[in-house]
Amino acid sequence: MRTAIYPGSFDPVTNGHVDVIRRAALLFDRLVIAVAANSEKSPLFSTEKRVRLIQESLADLPGVEVTTFQGLLVDFARAQGAAAIVRGLRAVTDFEYEFQMALMNRTLDGHMETVFLAAREEYTYLSSRIIKEVARLGGGFGRFVPPPVEAALREALGLRES
Ligand code: ADP
C-alpha cells in the first residue's frame, strides 16, 4: 500500500491543484491531501473551509483523503506511513523553493522522497493568489476553480452572481 502526501495551503484549491491530485491518485494507492494549518500567510479561508472545499471538489475520487496538519511535514508524513511527498511544479520560479524544501525534507528524514508533477500547460499560470486577485478586481475566474470554490469566493468577497 503506497501512500503519498500532497501538502499545501490550498487557499483555495484551484483547477491546477485538482489536476495534480487526479494524476497523483493514479500513481499511489492512497493520497492524503494535507492542508497546512500553521501557514504564515494570512489565509482568506479557514483551515476547515479549505478542507471542505477540496472534499466538495473531489467528491468522485476514491482513495483520496483530506486532512489538516501542523508542524513539521516529514513528521506528519511519517505518521501517515507515507513513502512520498507530492508537489506540483509550474515554472522555473517554483523550482528553487521546491528543490530547497525537498532537500531539507530528505535531510530531516532520509527515506522521504518528493515526487514532482509538472503542471499542465493550461494551468501553469494559475495560483490561489492570482485567482483571489482577479476575483477581487472583478475579473471572471469561474474557469480556474471548481464550482464549489467559485461560489465560496463570491461569498467571501461579497461578489454577485455573474
Ligand atoms: P504552498 O503554500 O505550500 O505553496 P499551494 O497551495 O500554493 O501551497 O500549492 C501546493 C502545491 O501545489 C505546490 O507544490 C504548488 O507548486 C502546487 N501548485 C499550485 N498551483 C499549481 C498549478 N496551477 N499547477 C500545478 N501545481 C500547482
PDB file of all heavy atoms in Angstrom, residues 5-6 8 10 32-36 47 51 54-55 65-69 76 80:
ATOM      1  N   ILE A   5       1.654  12.053   0.403  1.00  0.00           N
ATOM      2  CA  ILE A   5       1.053  13.254   0.983  1.00  0.00           C
ATOM      3  C   ILE A   5       1.169  14.383  -0.025  1.00  0.00           C
ATOM      4  O   ILE A   5       2.247  14.593  -0.586  1.00  0.00           O
ATOM      5  CB  ILE A   5       1.835  13.704   2.258  1.00  0.00           C
ATOM      6  CG1 ILE A   5       2.009  12.560   3.250  1.00  0.00           C
ATOM      7  CG2 ILE A   5       1.171  14.916   2.905  1.00  0.00           C
ATOM      8  CD1 ILE A   5       0.772  12.153   3.954  1.00  0.00           C
ATOM      9  N   TYR A   6       0.078  15.112  -0.249  1.00  0.00           N
ATOM     10  CA  TYR A   6       0.152  16.322  -1.072  1.00  0.00           C
ATOM     11  C   TYR A   6      -0.154  17.503  -0.161  1.00  0.00           C
ATOM     12  O   TYR A   6      -1.312  17.776   0.149  1.00  0.00           O
ATOM     13  CB  TYR A   6      -0.848  16.224  -2.233  1.00  0.00           C
ATOM     14  CG  TYR A   6      -0.872  17.426  -3.166  1.00  0.00           C
ATOM     15  CD1 TYR A   6       0.255  18.196  -3.412  1.00  0.00           C
ATOM     16  CD2 TYR A   6      -2.039  17.788  -3.823  1.00  0.00           C
ATOM     17  CE1 TYR A   6       0.229  19.288  -4.277  1.00  0.00           C
ATOM     18  CE2 TYR A   6      -2.088  18.872  -4.695  1.00  0.00           C
ATOM     19  CZ  TYR A   6      -0.939  19.623  -4.909  1.00  0.00           C
ATOM     20  OH  TYR A   6      -0.977  20.699  -5.767  1.00  0.00           O
ATOM     21  N   GLY A   8      -0.085  21.570   1.188  1.00  0.00           N
ATOM     22  CA  GLY A   8      -0.163  22.925   0.622  1.00  0.00           C
ATOM     23  C   GLY A   8      -1.080  23.803   1.434  1.00  0.00           C
ATOM     24  O   GLY A   8      -1.685  23.356   2.414  1.00  0.00           O
ATOM     25  N   PHE A  10      -3.630  25.617  -0.172  1.00  0.00           N
ATOM     26  CA  PHE A  10      -4.932  25.420  -0.825  1.00  0.00           C
ATOM     27  C   PHE A  10      -5.938  26.505  -0.403  1.00  0.00           C
ATOM     28  O   PHE A  10      -7.032  26.209   0.057  1.00  0.00           O
ATOM     29  CB  PHE A  10      -5.496  24.021  -0.512  1.00  0.00           C
ATOM     30  CG  PHE A  10      -4.564  22.897  -0.885  1.00  0.00           C
ATOM     31  CD1 PHE A  10      -3.867  22.187   0.087  1.00  0.00           C
ATOM     32  CD2 PHE A  10      -4.382  22.544  -2.213  1.00  0.00           C
ATOM     33  CE1 PHE A  10      -2.996  21.148  -0.257  1.00  0.00           C
ATOM     34  CE2 PHE A  10      -3.519  21.517  -2.577  1.00  0.00           C
ATOM     35  CZ  PHE A  10      -2.826  20.818  -1.588  1.00  0.00           C
ATOM     36  N   VAL A  32      -3.059  11.478   0.603  1.00  0.00           N
ATOM     37  CA  VAL A  32      -3.575  12.312   1.687  1.00  0.00           C
ATOM     38  C   VAL A  32      -3.270  13.776   1.348  1.00  0.00           C
ATOM     39  O   VAL A  32      -2.105  14.161   1.252  1.00  0.00           O
ATOM     40  CB  VAL A  32      -2.929  11.947   3.045  1.00  0.00           C
ATOM     41  CG1 VAL A  32      -3.483  12.837   4.161  1.00  0.00           C
ATOM     42  CG2 VAL A  32      -3.152  10.468   3.363  1.00  0.00           C
ATOM     43  N   ILE A  33      -4.307  14.548   1.141  1.00  0.00           N
ATOM     44  CA  ILE A  33      -4.129  15.976   0.883  1.00  0.00           C
ATOM     45  C   ILE A  33      -4.066  16.657   2.239  1.00  0.00           C
ATOM     46  O   ILE A  33      -4.993  16.537   3.044  1.00  0.00           O
ATOM     47  CB  ILE A  33      -5.284  16.527   0.038  1.00  0.00           C
ATOM     48  CG1 ILE A  33      -5.373  15.728  -1.266  1.00  0.00           C
ATOM     49  CG2 ILE A  33      -5.089  18.012  -0.255  1.00  0.00           C
ATOM     50  CD1 ILE A  33      -6.642  15.988  -2.034  1.00  0.00           C
ATOM     51  N   ALA A  34      -2.958  17.325   2.500  1.00  0.00           N
ATOM     52  CA  ALA A  34      -2.721  17.880   3.834  1.00  0.00           C
ATOM     53  C   ALA A  34      -2.732  19.400   3.775  1.00  0.00           C
ATOM     54  O   ALA A  34      -1.832  20.030   3.205  1.00  0.00           O
ATOM     55  CB  ALA A  34      -1.390  17.371   4.378  1.00  0.00           C
ATOM     56  N   VAL A  35      -3.756  19.988   4.358  1.00  0.00           N
ATOM     57  CA  VAL A  35      -3.912  21.445   4.358  1.00  0.00           C
ATOM     58  C   VAL A  35      -3.135  22.021   5.538  1.00  0.00           C
ATOM     59  O   VAL A  35      -3.396  21.662   6.690  1.00  0.00           O
ATOM     60  CB  VAL A  35      -5.410  21.822   4.446  1.00  0.00           C
ATOM     61  CG1 VAL A  35      -5.587  23.327   4.501  1.00  0.00           C
ATOM     62  CG2 VAL A  35      -6.175  21.232   3.272  1.00  0.00           C
ATOM     63  N   ALA A  36      -2.191  22.879   5.239  1.00  0.00           N
ATOM     64  CA  ALA A  36      -1.321  23.441   6.285  1.00  0.00           C
ATOM     65  C   ALA A  36      -2.106  24.375   7.195  1.00  0.00           C
ATOM     66  O   ALA A  36      -2.695  25.354   6.735  1.00  0.00           O
ATOM     67  CB  ALA A  36      -0.159  24.184   5.645  1.00  0.00           C
ATOM     68  N   THR A  47      -8.952  26.964   7.837  1.00  0.00           N
ATOM     69  CA  THR A  47      -8.423  25.636   7.512  1.00  0.00           C
ATOM     70  C   THR A  47      -9.568  24.672   7.228  1.00  0.00           C
ATOM     71  O   THR A  47      -9.525  23.910   6.260  1.00  0.00           O
ATOM     72  CB  THR A  47      -7.587  25.103   8.696  1.00  0.00           C
ATOM     73  OG1 THR A  47      -6.754  26.157   9.165  1.00  0.00           O
ATOM     74  CG2 THR A  47      -6.723  23.947   8.290  1.00  0.00           C
ATOM     75  N   VAL A  51     -10.438  22.615   3.735  1.00  0.00           N
ATOM     76  CA  VAL A  51     -10.599  21.158   3.676  1.00  0.00           C
ATOM     77  C   VAL A  51     -11.926  20.816   2.996  1.00  0.00           C
ATOM     78  O   VAL A  51     -11.978  19.990   2.080  1.00  0.00           O
ATOM     79  CB  VAL A  51     -10.554  20.534   5.098  1.00  0.00           C
ATOM     80  CG1 VAL A  51     -11.042  19.089   5.081  1.00  0.00           C
ATOM     81  CG2 VAL A  51      -9.150  20.615   5.672  1.00  0.00           C
ATOM     82  N   ILE A  54     -11.997  21.301  -0.763  1.00  0.00           N
ATOM     83  CA  ILE A  54     -11.284  20.244  -1.503  1.00  0.00           C
ATOM     84  C   ILE A  54     -12.178  19.006  -1.574  1.00  0.00           C
ATOM     85  O   ILE A  54     -12.338  18.396  -2.628  1.00  0.00           O
ATOM     86  CB  ILE A  54      -9.923  19.906  -0.845  1.00  0.00           C
ATOM     87  CG1 ILE A  54      -9.004  21.127  -0.850  1.00  0.00           C
ATOM     88  CG2 ILE A  54      -9.255  18.737  -1.568  1.00  0.00           C
ATOM     89  CD1 ILE A  54      -7.728  20.959  -0.031  1.00  0.00           C
ATOM     90  N   GLN A  55     -12.797  18.660  -0.442  1.00  0.00           N
ATOM     91  CA  GLN A  55     -13.675  17.471  -0.419  1.00  0.00           C
ATOM     92  C   GLN A  55     -14.814  17.619  -1.419  1.00  0.00           C
ATOM     93  O   GLN A  55     -15.109  16.701  -2.180  1.00  0.00           O
ATOM     94  CB  GLN A  55     -14.240  17.254   0.989  1.00  0.00           C
ATOM     95  CG  GLN A  55     -13.218  16.700   1.960  1.00  0.00           C
ATOM     96  CD  GLN A  55     -13.672  16.789   3.408  1.00  0.00           C
ATOM     97  OE1 GLN A  55     -14.527  17.606   3.756  1.00  0.00           O
ATOM     98  NE2 GLN A  55     -13.102  15.952   4.255  1.00  0.00           N
ATOM     99  N   GLU A  65      -7.858  11.232   0.644  1.00  0.00           N
ATOM    100  CA  GLU A  65      -8.327  11.762   1.928  1.00  0.00           C
ATOM    101  C   GLU A  65      -7.877  13.212   2.055  1.00  0.00           C
ATOM    102  O   GLU A  65      -6.848  13.579   1.502  1.00  0.00           O
ATOM    103  CB  GLU A  65      -7.700  10.970   3.084  1.00  0.00           C
ATOM    104  CG  GLU A  65      -8.110   9.514   3.112  1.00  0.00           C
ATOM    105  CD  GLU A  65      -7.195   8.692   4.014  1.00  0.00           C
ATOM    106  OE1 GLU A  65      -6.677   9.212   5.019  1.00  0.00           O
ATOM    107  OE2 GLU A  65      -7.008   7.510   3.686  1.00  0.00           O
ATOM    108  N   VAL A  66      -8.638  13.998   2.790  1.00  0.00           N
ATOM    109  CA  VAL A  66      -8.254  15.394   3.002  1.00  0.00           C
ATOM    110  C   VAL A  66      -8.199  15.642   4.503  1.00  0.00           C
ATOM    111  O   VAL A  66      -9.136  15.303   5.222  1.00  0.00           O
ATOM    112  CB  VAL A  66      -9.268  16.374   2.372  1.00  0.00           C
ATOM    113  CG1 VAL A  66      -8.704  17.791   2.367  1.00  0.00           C
ATOM    114  CG2 VAL A  66      -9.645  15.945   0.961  1.00  0.00           C
ATOM    115  N   THR A  67      -7.097  16.220   4.954  1.00  0.00           N
ATOM    116  CA  THR A  67      -6.972  16.487   6.381  1.00  0.00           C
ATOM    117  C   THR A  67      -6.109  17.728   6.591  1.00  0.00           C
ATOM    118  O   THR A  67      -5.619  18.310   5.629  1.00  0.00           O
ATOM    119  CB  THR A  67      -6.387  15.251   7.110  1.00  0.00           C
ATOM    120  OG1 THR A  67      -6.407  15.484   8.503  1.00  0.00           O
ATOM    121  CG2 THR A  67      -4.970  14.949   6.677  1.00  0.00           C
ATOM    122  N   THR A  68      -5.945  18.127   7.841  1.00  0.00           N
ATOM    123  CA  THR A  68      -5.071  19.270   8.129  1.00  0.00           C
ATOM    124  C   THR A  68      -3.817  18.758   8.816  1.00  0.00           C
ATOM    125  O   THR A  68      -3.798  17.653   9.354  1.00  0.00           O
ATOM    126  CB  THR A  68      -5.758  20.270   9.079  1.00  0.00           C
ATOM    127  OG1 THR A  68      -5.986  19.618  10.309  1.00  0.00           O
ATOM    128  CG2 THR A  68      -7.062  20.755   8.511  1.00  0.00           C
ATOM    129  N   PHE A  69      -2.783  19.560   8.789  1.00  0.00           N
ATOM    130  CA  PHE A  69      -1.599  19.192   9.571  1.00  0.00           C
ATOM    131  C   PHE A  69      -0.938  20.442  10.115  1.00  0.00           C
ATOM    132  O   PHE A  69      -1.086  21.529   9.565  1.00  0.00           O
ATOM    133  CB  PHE A  69      -0.623  18.352   8.742  1.00  0.00           C
ATOM    134  CG  PHE A  69       0.294  19.155   7.858  1.00  0.00           C
ATOM    135  CD1 PHE A  69       1.613  19.392   8.225  1.00  0.00           C
ATOM    136  CD2 PHE A  69      -0.166  19.680   6.663  1.00  0.00           C
ATOM    137  CE1 PHE A  69       2.464  20.149   7.411  1.00  0.00           C
ATOM    138  CE2 PHE A  69       0.666  20.437   5.843  1.00  0.00           C
ATOM    139  CZ  PHE A  69       1.983  20.670   6.218  1.00  0.00           C
ATOM    140  N   PHE A  76       4.566  14.527  10.022  1.00  0.00           N
ATOM    141  CA  PHE A  76       3.194  14.179   9.639  1.00  0.00           C
ATOM    142  C   PHE A  76       3.208  13.055   8.599  1.00  0.00           C
ATOM    143  O   PHE A  76       2.451  12.088   8.698  1.00  0.00           O
ATOM    144  CB  PHE A  76       2.485  15.418   9.076  1.00  0.00           C
ATOM    145  CG  PHE A  76       1.128  15.135   8.512  1.00  0.00           C
ATOM    146  CD1 PHE A  76       0.032  14.979   9.351  1.00  0.00           C
ATOM    147  CD2 PHE A  76       0.945  14.982   7.146  1.00  0.00           C
ATOM    148  CE1 PHE A  76      -1.229  14.690   8.834  1.00  0.00           C
ATOM    149  CE2 PHE A  76      -0.308  14.696   6.619  1.00  0.00           C
ATOM    150  CZ  PHE A  76      -1.394  14.548   7.464  1.00  0.00           C
ATOM    151  N   GLN A  80       1.704   9.162   8.857  1.00  0.00           N
ATOM    152  CA  GLN A  80       0.700   8.656   7.903  1.00  0.00           C
ATOM    153  C   GLN A  80       1.208   7.432   7.152  1.00  0.00           C
ATOM    154  O   GLN A  80       0.496   6.878   6.310  1.00  0.00           O
ATOM    155  CB  GLN A  80       0.360   9.750   6.881  1.00  0.00           C
ATOM    156  CG  GLN A  80      -0.419  10.914   7.444  1.00  0.00           C
ATOM    157  CD  GLN A  80      -1.880  10.562   7.711  1.00  0.00           C
ATOM    158  OE1 GLN A  80      -2.470   9.759   7.003  1.00  0.00           O
ATOM    159  NE2 GLN A  80      -2.450  11.144   8.738  1.00  0.00           N
TER     160      GLN A  80
END
